């Protein structure tokens, strides 16, 4: 398993002078598409679909949908723990969302990191958020993941990621990659 260091010295962190100011939104709704690629039994697997992300300062609800729009799973995180509901299965519970998904899938999805990464923020070891530069192909290595902000969407005075590519190597799933395309971005 490869280990990436938190942070990346080559990542531009200060927005350009003509870039709109960016703020972290504790309450936000994001809709988009996701493609997960991984290895299972030494064979490449691909899971395309879409997602609905509803985040508040204390809670998170993620709905994963198939390509046909059917709900595959609903994942929730609150102060009391995390739950995973899949059609036709008992609800699973854990103390935190990342361990719940690792136990359920057999490999990790970085949901805790995505709370920041979907808004193009990183955190230092002390927990302080830093806005990433809004340049195409901005890269970041953090929490064992390599992120590339491929493109950005600018709407008036706001700018946010349009496509994010994430990669890491895991023992369980080999090369694991996620491609996230954000279609709707609604701070609340």
């Amino acid at each position: 398993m490869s280990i990436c260091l938190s942070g990346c010295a080559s990542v531009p962190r200060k927005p350009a002078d003509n870039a709109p100011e960016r703020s972290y939104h504790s309450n936000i709704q994001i809709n988009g598409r996701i493609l997960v690629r991984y290895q299972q039994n030494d064979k490449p697997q691909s899971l395309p679909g879409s997602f609905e992300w509803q985040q508040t300062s204390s809670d998170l609800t993620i709905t994963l949908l198939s390509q046909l729009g059917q709900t595959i799973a609903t994942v929730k995180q609150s102060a009391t723990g995390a739950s995973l509901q899949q059609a036709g299965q008992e609800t699973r519970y854990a103390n935190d969302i990342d361990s719940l998904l690792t136990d359920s899938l057999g490999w990790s999805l970085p949901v805790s990191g995505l709370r920041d990464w979907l808004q193009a923020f990183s955190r230092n070891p002390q927990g302080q958020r830093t806005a990433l530069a809004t340049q195409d192909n901005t890269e970041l290595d953090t929490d064992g993941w390599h992120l590339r902000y491929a493109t950005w969407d600018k709407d008036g005075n706001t700018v946010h990621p349009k496509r994010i590519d994430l990669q890491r190597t895991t023992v369980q799933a080999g090369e694991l990659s996620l491609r996230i395309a954000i279609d709707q971005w609604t701070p609340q």
Side-chain angles (χ1 to χ4, degrees):
M1 175 189 293
S2 70
I3 298 176
C4 297
L5 299 175
S6 181
C8 182
S10 64
V11 175
R13 304 239 181 223
K14 184 178 178 186
D17 291 336
N18 60 354
E21 186 64 31
R22 292 184 30 247
S23 299
Y24 180 82
H25 302 282
S26 295
N27 300 325
I28 192 165
Q29 181 174 341
I30 300 171
N31 295 340
R33 293 163 281 131
I34 187 169
L35 173 62
V36 180
R37 291 188 175 140
Y38 63 99
Q39 297 283 321
Q40 186 175 41
N41 300 323
D42 294 325
K43 294 183 181 176
Q45 303 292 319
S46 180
L47 296 173
S50 60
F51 70 94
E52 297 170 357
W53 179 282
Q54 181 71 44
Q55 173 181 317
T56 68
S57 59
S58 60
D59 298 330
L60 175 64
T61 300
I62 306 165
T63 304
L64 300 173
L65 306 154
S66 72
Q67 285 183 298
L68 301 175
Q70 299 167 316
T71 299
I72 296 170
T74 302
V75 185
K76 294 182 179 185
Q77 172 81 54
S78 69
T80 60
S83 66
L84 170 65
Q85 178 63 55
Q86 293 175 284
Q89 297 185 20
E90 286 189 32
T91 302
R92 296 182 189 143
Y93 299 94
N95 289 333
D96 68 86
I97 201 163
D98 291 331
S99 63
L100 173 65
L101 291 174
T102 299
D103 292 344
S104 300
L105 300 173
W107 40 272
S108 64
L109 285 176
V111 174
S112 293
L114 286 169
R115 288 181 74 99
D116 295 318
W117 303 341
L118 286 172
Q119 297 189 55
F121 280 78
S122 67
R123 281 193 195 221
N124 66 20
Q126 293 76 34
Q128 297 168 313
R129 286 188 181 99
T130 303
L132 300 174
T134 57
Q135 301 167 353
D136 288 353
N137 298 311
T138 295
E139 295 186 358
L140 173 69
D141 290 314
T142 185
D143 298 334
W145 289 88
H146 178 77
L147 287 72
R148 183 174 71 90
Y149 290 83
T151 58
W152 297 83
D153 194 8
K154 295 176 183 169
D155 181 21
N157 290 331
T158 63
V159 61
H160 60 83
K162 182 68 177 165
R163 194 183 97 206
I164 309 168
D165 300 329
L166 297 88
Q167 293 182 312
R168 82 180 297 172
T169 301
T170 67
V171 172
Q172 306 92 338
E175 281 295 318
L176 175 59
S177 69
L178 300 140
R179 175 170 285 176
I180 299 172
I182 296 173
D183 298 324
Q184 182 183 8
W185 170 279
T186 311
Q188 300 174 335

